[in-house]
Amino acid sequence: MASERSFPVITGIAARLPGGDGAEGLWRAASTPGAYAAAPPSWSKRDLLEAVVDEALAGAGFPPGPPRTGTGVAVVVCAQADARDSATAPFLHGANTDVLSTRAGRAPVTVVSHACATGGFAIRLAAQRLAAGQADVVVVAGASVSDPMEEMSLEAVGVLATGAVRPLDTERGGMAVGRGAVALVLERAEAAGARGGGGTIAVAGTACLVKPSRAESDPAAMGAVLRAVLSPADGTGRTRVDAVCAHATGTALGDAVEFGELASLGEELGWTRVPVFSHKGALGHLLHTSALAGVAHAAEAMRRSLLPATPGCAAPLAEHPAVRVSTERSPARLRRVLVNAFGFGGNYACVLLETSGYERELVDD
């Protein structure tokens, strides 16, 4: 098992979502069925990105002005890599990096685009940069604002709901596109500790896979990425989890495949009724930014020792000996949570979060 101090830690979380801002606002919004419908029409990706990057760095304890660190700060933006997108097109051409925040200065900006798994890929890239010493601080940010082309494409493949969004429900009928922005500040644990920045939730593992396919979920690819994050090639098996923040958007096929693969994996690993939850019935599907919302939501649940419910789910999928759908918020000791993010075209990503001192807690148990 790699030392926990080698894992990057989350030191800042910021959000702009219907129903609330910041980590507290995200927590409230993620528990409110249909919150996605209240997004202001005036929101723009550019303004949202600037706001959340600035607030995430402030929340991490950095004073006004560019962070002063040994190797500096880097920014990773989750976006649709499309020149039509006026908010992110400048980043694709290496210009206007100051648009994100004066706090970030002229930090190098990288745009990542892997459909709805983008956030997971971005977090993996951030962790790799920190491990390689290329930066002391990496801000991962993304924004989702209604794009007619995106919604038309989702409508064309028949995945948009005509009524309430009901993830992991036997009567689910599709997803809703969410609107908002999330930013996470990741730091090497040693660097965060040295400046007194703390950080009690670590990114203990990531796994990403691209297997070109059509829109539908590929069970084999999904299973492969799940196994990769819990049984990495370095032999540091991390098979035990306390909960899963599912990708589950409310689609008929996607939710069933994901829950089925979690059940199969859980059976192999000896899980017992591990709770699976989704916030998509509240926040909607934030597309390229969805994994960041998932990680932020899971981190808040771990910090609060509260297992989230699954808003919109009234008739949960049949319980399996290994996994069950969480339908009620309840107190829980959440020390390791798996976050899933899957996208059209064969993009799959998983992020494993872990509390500081997790291995010592296992010994105490």
Side-chain angles (χ1 to χ4, degrees):
M1 174 68 69
S3 167
E4 69 183 25
R5 291 187 64 80
S6 68
F7 298 151
V9 293
I10 300 171
T11 56
I13 295 176
R16 280 281 194 280
L17 295 164
D21 298 338
E24 179 66 33
L26 182 149
W27 180 253
R28 290 196 308 270
S31 304
T32 306
Y36 55 82
S42 59
W43 273 355
S44 73
K45 285 185 180 180
R46 183 181 181 123
D47 291 343
L48 289 171
L49 283 170
E50 183 175 1
V52 294
V53 169
D54 189 77
E55 290 176 15
L57 285 166
F62 289 102
R68 289 177 170 80
T69 65
T71 53
V73 60
V75 179
V76 180
V77 177
C78 305
Q80 179 176 339
D82 189 332
R84 293 183 299 104
D85 187 339
S86 61
T88 54
F91 305 132
L92 299 178
H93 301 288
N96 294 340
T97 57
D98 286 346
V99 70
L100 287 178
S101 173
T102 55
R103 285 185 183 275
R106 297 199 62 82
V109 177
T110 302
V111 173
V112 177
S113 184
H114 279 275
C116 299
T118 296
F121 279 79
I123 290 171
R124 180 175 177 83
L125 176 60
Q128 290 173 333
R129 286 190 170 177
L130 291 167
Q134 296 176 349
D136 287 328
V137 181
V138 180
V139 185
V140 185
S144 175
V145 175
S146 181
D147 180 322
M149 292 296 292
E150 288 177 335
E151 296 210 18
M152 287 173 62
S153 65
L154 292 171
E155 184 177 11
V157 295
V159 297
L160 290 182
T162 56
V165 177
R166 303 174 65 176
L168 301 172
D169 192 289
T170 56
E171 300 299 323
R172 62 196 180 280
M175 71 168 97
V177 177
R179 297 164 178 81
V182 180
L184 307 173
V185 177
L186 273 64
E187 299 182 62
R188 288 185 294 109
E190 296 87 344
R195 70 172 185 84
T200 60
I201 308 297
V203 177
T206 60
C208 297
L209 173 67
V210 176
K211 183 181 179 183
S213 67
R214 295 182 294 178
E216 65 269 18
S217 301
D218 182 328
M222 195 177 290
V225 75
L226 288 168
R227 286 166 176 78
V229 75
L230 293 170
S231 301
D234 61 10
T236 56
R238 300 182 286 266
T239 59
R240 177 173 170 173
V241 299
D242 297 312
V244 178
C245 179
H247 179 71
T249 61
T251 61
L253 180 60
D255 287 21
V257 171
E258 182 178 11
F259 193 74
E261 288 303 310
L262 286 169
S264 296
L265 175 65
E267 189 172 11
E268 291 176 17
L269 300 180
W271 294 357
T272 302
R273 301 184 73 247
V274 169
V276 179
F277 64 92
S278 170
H279 57 248
K280 302 295 199 307
L283 302 183
H285 187 9
L286 290 169
L287 304 176
H288 296 73
T289 310
S290 63
L292 304 188
V295 167
H297 188 205
E300 279 299 295
M302 296 168 76
R303 186 178 68 82
R304 297 165 186 264
S305 295
L306 285 173
L307 172 67
T310 301
C313 181
L317 295 173
E319 186 172 314
H320 183 278
V323 292
R324 64 180 177 87
V325 178
S326 175
T327 57
E328 294 183 0
R329 180 185 290 182
S330 60
R333 193 181 186 191
L334 303 176
R335 298 171 295 177
R336 184 177 279 161
V337 177
L338 177 65
V339 180
N340 294 338
F342 307 133
F344 283 175
N347 293 279
Y348 302 87
C350 296
V351 177
L352 187 63
L353 301 181
E354 187 175 288
T355 57
S356 299
Y358 179 79
E359 293 304 317
R360 292 192 298 276
E361 291 177 9
L362 289 184
V363 173
D364 293 341
D365 286 348

